[in-house]
Amino acid sequence: MLKLPRGRAICYSGYRDGQCPGQATPSLDQIREDLLLMQPHWRLLRLYDCTLHAERVLEVIRRDGLDFKVMLGAYLGAEVNNAGCPWGATFSEEQLQASSAENEAEVGRLIALANAHPDIVFSVAVGNEATVDWTDHLVPVPRMIEHVQRVKRLVKQPVTFCENYVPWQHKLSELVTELDFISLHTYPLWEYKPVHEAMDCTRDNFHSVARRYPDKPVVITEAGWCTRSNGRGMNAEHAVQELQAIYLRELIEWTDREGILCFVFEAFDEPWKGSPDPLEPEKHWGLFTVDRRPKLAMREWPAAQCV
């Protein structure tokens, strides 16, 4: 039987003001500062790619002997166009070929890092939100299966794929048989749910997948609440720190009680994301601001427990 670690878990991306993937990467000292800030509250981290950022996170954990275990992710870019993406996902054939080649390289980096840090990396995620209808980095399910099969042949850790809860219900049934466990995302705020309906929505989303695959472990790899918004995709008046604190408290109480591994999204705000609008909701999901000030939800955050 698959045994995953239990305890409090958080999604971590350490990019600060003036930094973003592919351009400027947080320094070792900045990553160390983040890890020491997170250490009293979480022992399980989720990383999203195998860039220099991930290499440095693993290096600091090892060099400083920090008590973290990591779900290591590979970021997969678009391999086909997606007319269903609201913000545009049409690429030239040359761009798609280059993206596919980079995906092969990224999967190779995932395999290498997982094998280099088997005592820190407890699982690997081959891609993130790459099959949902609205994604701007669409990867066909047969190609996802090929990527997963390659990783499974070459690493010892359990293998998963992280996706919105909807595709798991039908679209990804063939992929499920290749995975060691399912990783789903659930966001009541993106579904225009007020906070008093949010946990019912979260539970329904989780169980809609868990019931379909009763013999496959299911993990929540993203669940969270935005704290500032211009109203794109959600009710702006719901995106406040007070409601984030309520939702996350109820989320942790439920997942603790049910023994569900749940990665809260996310540790720190990410101002590089989304549109230039400072109220772009993609920028404001952190439990800490980008300058590492704790938000309201952190005032009584429970100490981490990991079994």
Side-chain angles (χ1 to χ4, degrees), residues 56-301:
R56 287 178 172 173
V57 172
L58 294 169
E59 179 181 348
V60 173
I61 291 172
R62 179 168 301 288
R63 180 186 296 178
D64 293 12
L66 300 179
D67 186 16
F68 286 107
K69 302 297 182 186
V70 170
M71 173 184 282
L72 183 63
Y75 178 82
L76 300 183
E79 297 195 9
V80 294
N81 290 318
N82 183 15
C85 177
W87 52 91
T90 301
F91 309 95
S92 69
E93 187 61 32
E94 291 77 12
Q95 288 174 313
L96 292 174
Q97 289 177 359
S99 180
S100 181
E102 173 56 25
N103 286 350
E104 294 284 347
E106 174 77 350
V107 170
R109 291 189 290 268
L110 176 70
I111 292 165
L113 282 176
N115 288 333
H117 301 278
D119 54 331
I120 299 173
V121 176
F122 76 88
S123 65
V124 295
V126 188
N128 182 71
E129 293 184 346
T131 63
V132 69
D133 289 348
W134 41 257
T135 187
D136 60 6
H137 50 283
L138 183 62
V139 178
V141 174
R143 277 289 287 159
M144 282 301 315
I145 292 173
E146 290 178 9
H147 289 308
V148 166
Q149 288 175 336
R150 177 187 172 194
V151 174
K152 287 198 70 173
R153 288 195 303 268
L154 297 172
V155 305
K156 295 182 179 179
Q157 293 92 336
V159 177
T160 191
F161 167 62
C162 302
E163 185 56 279
N164 177 274
Y165 74 95
V166 174
W168 291 115
Q169 296 175 3
H170 301 286
K171 185 177 184 180
L172 299 179
S173 58
E174 292 184 4
L175 177 62
V176 168
T177 62
E178 304 292 336
L179 299 173
D180 295 302
F181 64 100
I182 295 168
S183 294
L184 66 82
H185 300 169
T186 171
Y187 287 105
L189 194 56
W190 284 123
E191 298 188 48
Y192 291 91
K193 300 295 183 182
V195 74
H196 65 274
E197 297 178 10
M199 276 312 304
D200 284 341
C201 176
T202 301
R203 284 188 286 263
D204 288 345
N205 292 348
F206 177 85
H207 289 300
S208 71
V209 177
R211 282 194 300 266
R212 182 169 177 81
Y213 307 101
D215 298 324
K216 190 74 65 169
V218 179
V219 167
I220 298 173
T221 41
E222 286 187 17
W225 197 273
C226 182
T227 58
R228 295 185 74 193
S229 174
N230 56 13
R232 183 186 67 82
M234 63 182 64
N235 293 316
E237 64 270 22
H238 293 166
V240 296
Q241 290 193 28
E242 290 79 6
L243 298 184
Q244 183 191 55
I246 291 170
Y247 175 69
L248 292 181
R249 182 175 63 248
E250 293 180 354
L251 176 71
I252 296 304
E253 288 174 354
W254 171 61
T255 54
D256 276 1
R257 184 171 62 250
E258 299 297 323
I260 299 167
L261 178 56
C262 177
F263 287 81
V264 171
F265 189 84
E266 61 180 323
F268 303 103
D269 283 348
E270 298 188 82
W272 65 272
K273 283 188 168 180
S275 72
D277 185 348
L279 292 179
E280 162 66 50
E282 293 284 358
K283 304 177 187 293
H284 300 289
W285 293 82
L287 275 73
F288 294 84
T289 63
V290 69
D291 56 1
R292 277 46 187 170
R293 289 182 291 110
K295 297 183 184 178
L296 184 62
M298 284 304 304
R299 291 186 182 175
E300 297 182 358
W301 192 263

